[in-house]
Amino acid sequence: MSLQTHQPDTATPPIATPSAAAGSRPPLPKDPQRHRKRALWGTAAVVIVILHLLALEGTGFEPVLLVEGWQGMARFIADSFPPSLDWEGVIAPGLEATLVTLWIGLLGTTLSVPTALLLAVLAARTTTPHRLAYQVSRSILSFFRAVPDIVFALIFVTAVGLGPFAGVLALICHNTGVMGKLWAESLEETDQGPQQALSTTGASRLQQIAHSSLPLVTPQFVGLLLYRFDVNVRSSLVLGLVGAGGIGLLINQAIKSFQFDAMLSHIIIVLVLIIVVDQASAFIRKRLSL
Amino acid sequence: MARDRYSPPALGVSGLTKSYHGRPVLKGVDFQVECGELVAFLGANGSGKSTTLKCVAGLAEPDAGTIRLQGTELSGLSGKTLAAARSQAAMVFQKIHLVPRRTALDNVCAGALARTSGPASLSPLFFSRALREEALDCLDRVGLADRALEKVGRLSGGQQQRVAVARALCQRAGVLLADEPVSALDPNAAEHIMALLAELAHTHQLAVAAVLHQPALAQRHADRAIGLLHGRIVFDGPAAGLGADIQDQLYSPERTSAA
Ligand SMILES: Nc1ncnc2c1ncn2[C@@H]1O[C@H](COP(=O)(O)OP(=O)(O)O)[C@@H](O)[C@H]1O
Ligand SMILES: [Mg+2]
């Protein structure tokens, strides 16, 4: 369209046709990588399909079962309706247990901050004082991240007994691993310039970290912290199922004693809790990024 | 302001060589910058200007050569003594490299970290009154005293670069290294920064070495110009003598593409 306005005369030809250009420019070069790339993508596709067939087989993945069994599910939900509104027996204990769940999530997050911060600084290539410290802290973080919190909970229960304390300890361990890794990554991604600039002033390594690296990543750090708090509150629900107290434990008990209306009440309370936590952390994150 | 005529130059570099991955980048660079002098470094991209300044500031390790800051030779020093000697040279960058979320005053205070120690030096909340007063003086010298508590990220590019200069002043360095300090700024801001650097050299007796990409800026503001070509100095003389022939030599495409 703009061609017409720019080229009213024919002093210079408009866009050259391929055949016209072929004479003046070198021919399309053969790209030996093209065949290799095609073969690679093809092989990857075949491997992925085979893996999925095996996985579908191994998990007994049959949508037919769900279609045939939906009535059972509907009956189960209908049976538990309406949710129990028994204050003394269901709602009050539910709210109390929900608070415990929230406390487990809170402590599991905040008490892992010192360890996660230390390990993150050591495990980020841009802030670590030494290669060895880097390797060791990376390994520690990998270990804590690899062991699921529920496994930590089962281990701590043997030491401190059933109850929320075991849940808090379990979350501290697992969250140190995850948050330390996430923080180390955001430290590595941040602009190195300000830190270099401070190094030329003669500031010590620790001063450089305190006055450039950390302030630069503070918004990301707080965002990740809130995200982990979100996740940890949900994890502490599951930890309740293995005896770490809180609302998860009540849901488990309600199911085992066939009190489905109480179960439904508890699930509704949990949903409200999760939505509130999610919205609150989203609100704070938005405020911080200003 | 009369200097003792036997006093050493603020910055003396001789026989500086440096290669990256076996490719020589500096091939024996010698120059001096005196107190009270603004020296412009000119040269095509890749000619080694930044590497030269980085070697002085400790951001790059030279292969050979000597660097003297206020008479103290850097090679052979290590640890605290090296840091102390290095803090004699402050550096400002094209990309400014301040912490945008912190106030101008806090950023300027950070220039003095080498003089402060202990856990209290790790947070701006514990910077002393004396330091904050000094930082405000430095901001005043660059004309930004009234913006002291503004977050740096909210200032314009030219103002941010002035805060960076104020941080260098707070470092109490005798030598100011500036790597393309005005390349990211509009012409007005560039003039302003260059005039500021010249003023600091002439009235505060700083030795200023500034990498510039515009010979005209160098001719207007610098006392002396140094031209680099493929890691060698090919011109060192009054900025006024930076004629068209020299500029052709420094920026001619055949010569620069040979790098
Ligand atoms: N960290 C580095 N690693 C490898 N090569 C580098 C590094 N820094 C600079 N160089 C190379 O050294 C040469 C000179 O770079 P530099 O001093 O930045 O040039 P200038 O500032 O004059 O444009 C360039 O060819 C550049 O590619
Ligand atoms: Mg450069």
Side-chain angles (χ1 to χ4, degrees):
Chain A
M1 294 127 265
S2 60
L3 266 180
Q4 290 169 339
T5 55
H6 285 149
Q7 317 246 327
D9 57 342
T10 50
T12 52
I15 293 173
T17 60
S19 56
S24 53
R25 60 149 169 80
L28 188 66
K30 275 244 182 307
D31 180 358
Q33 292 292 313
R34 268 170 66 84
H35 293 291
R36 240 174 51 83
K37 275 184 201 159
R38 266 197 237 173
L40 221 66
W41 280 107
T43 317
V46 171
V47 169
I48 288 169
V49 167
I50 291 175
L51 285 177
H52 277 75
L53 290 177
L54 290 173
L56 291 171
E57 171 77 21
T59 55
F61 193 91
E62 277 180 68
V64 185
L65 282 182
L66 183 61
V67 174
E68 283 170 354
W70 73 272
Q71 287 153 323
M73 193 163 70
R75 201 175 318 117
F76 176 73
I77 293 171
D79 278 354
S80 43
F81 226 80
S84 165
L85 293 176
D86 174 7
W87 178 260
E88 290 280 301
V90 178
I91 305 290
L95 290 175
E96 222 166 282
T98 301
L99 203 58
V100 172
T101 295
L102 196 64
W103 293 154
I104 297 174
L106 181 73
L107 293 182
T109 312
T110 55
L111 296 185
S112 61
V113 166
T115 42
L117 185 63
L118 180 69
L119 288 167
V121 168
L122 296 176
R125 242 170 275 123
T126 52
T127 50
T128 191
H130 197 271
R131 270 210 68 76
L132 191 68
Y134 169 81
Q135 292 293 356
V136 170
S137 50
R138 283 260 146 173
S139 311
I140 295 174
L141 288 176
S142 298
F143 170 75
F144 281 123
R145 204 170 58 250
V147 180
D149 41 22
I150 202 151
V151 174
F152 278 122
L154 291 169
I155 295 170
F156 282 121
V157 160
T158 63
V160 301
L162 289 172
F165 185 40
V168 172
L169 293 176
L171 283 185
I172 290 175
C173 288
H174 184 65
N175 195 56
T176 293
V178 179
M179 209 159 65
K181 172 83 186 313
L182 293 172
W183 281 357
E185 270 167 12
S186 65
L187 274 174
E188 288 188 345
E189 280 161 19
T190 197
D191 180 16
Q192 280 300 95
Q195 192 188 339
Q196 280 197 347
L198 277 193
S199 82
T200 68
T201 71
S204 72
R205 186 100 183 159
L206 202 58
Q207 289 174 328
Q208 292 166 33
I209 293 170
H211 290 285
S212 73
S213 314
L214 288 182
L216 284 170
V217 295
T218 304
Q220 287 97 302
F221 269 32
V222 176
L224 290 168
L225 184 77
L226 289 167
Y227 160 70
R228 287 307 302 171
F229 171 61
D230 218 33
V231 173
N232 285 336
V233 168
R234 272 171 277 162
S235 293
S236 76
L237 283 170
V238 180
L239 294 183
L241 297 176
V242 299
I247 187 82
L249 185 63
L250 289 196
I251 292 176
N252 196 16
Q253 285 170 349
I255 294 174
K256 278 184 179 154
S257 55
F258 303 105
Q259 293 172 298
F260 297 126
D261 56 342
M263 174 205 74
L264 191 58
S265 307
H266 291 152
I267 287 177
I268 291 169
I269 294 175
V270 164
L271 284 177
V272 171
L273 169 75
I274 285 174
I275 290 169
V276 167
V277 168
D278 184 69
Q279 291 298 308
S281 82
F283 175 78
I284 298 174
R285 263 183 273 181
K286 206 153 128 204
R287 267 306 172 83
L288 278 170
S289 62
L290 281 182
Chain B
M1 288 286 152
R3 272 190 327 108
D4 177 32
R5 58 196 185 97
Y6 298 112
S7 71
L11 169 62
V13 169
S14 66
L16 189 65
T17 64
K18 169 79 185 166
S19 40
Y20 282 113
H21 315 298
R23 204 170 60 81
V25 169
L26 298 180
K27 304 166 184 165
V29 167
D30 309 85
F31 67 90
Q32 302 185 341
V33 184
E34 309 281 348
C35 291
E37 188 183 35
L38 169 54
V39 177
F41 281 72
L42 299 162
N45 289 327
S47 56
K49 308 177 297 295
S50 297
T51 306
T52 304
L53 296 197
K54 281 180 183 169
C55 285
V56 176
L59 292 176
E61 195 60 40
D63 297 340
T66 58
I67 299 170
R68 287 172 183 276
L69 280 169
Q70 317 277 36
T72 309
E73 204 201 310
L74 294 187
S75 61
L77 302 184
S78 64
K80 281 238 155 67
T81 39
L82 179 63
R86 276 252 161 76
S87 72
Q88 276 305 308
M91 187 150 177
V92 301
F93 305 82
Q94 177 185 351
K95 292 189 176 164
I96 297 163
H97 294 333
L98 297 167
V99 179
R101 298 179 59 248
R102 287 201 171 167
T103 63
L105 195 74
D106 285 346
N107 270 284
V108 173
C109 286
L113 285 173
R115 303 197 294 277
T116 54
S117 60
S121 75
L122 296 181
S123 167
L125 297 176
F126 302 112
F127 285 149
S128 71
R129 169 114 208 170
L131 174 57
R132 284 153 47 80
E133 294 280 0
E134 180 177 349
L136 188 62
D137 285 341
C138 296
L139 276 173
D140 195 31
R141 278 158 77 181
V142 302
L144 284 175
D146 55 333
R147 312 298 290 273
L149 295 187
E150 197 114 7
K151 291 228 165 79
V152 161
R154 299 192 172 229
L155 300 177
S156 72
Q159 290 169 334
Q160 293 189 14
Q161 194 59 288
R162 282 194 272 158
V163 174
V165 172
R167 177 168 71 184
L169 295 175
C170 197
Q171 193 180 324
R172 296 185 191 161
V175 176
L176 181 56
L177 312 166
D179 193 0
E180 301 193 28
V182 300
S183 296
L185 303 180
D186 68 47
N188 278 333
E191 277 307 314
H192 194 139
I193 293 287
M194 287 315 300
L196 174 66
L197 293 182
E199 186 208 321
L200 291 174
H202 299 148
T203 64
H204 296 276
Q205 291 298 300
L206 287 182
V208 185
V211 173
L212 298 176
H213 267 313
Q214 286 162 285
L217 270 184
Q219 286 165 336
R220 269 202 300 285
H221 297 283
D223 303 300
R224 195 148 58 87
I226 289 179
L228 271 164
L229 182 66
H230 304 330
R232 279 203 181 88
I233 291 181
V234 295
F235 177 84
D236 186 345
L242 206 60
D245 50 334
I246 311 279
Q247 294 181 31
D248 280 352
Q249 187 194 1
L250 288 179
Y251 298 113
S252 68
E254 316 87 78
R255 287 174 193 263
T256 51
S257 65

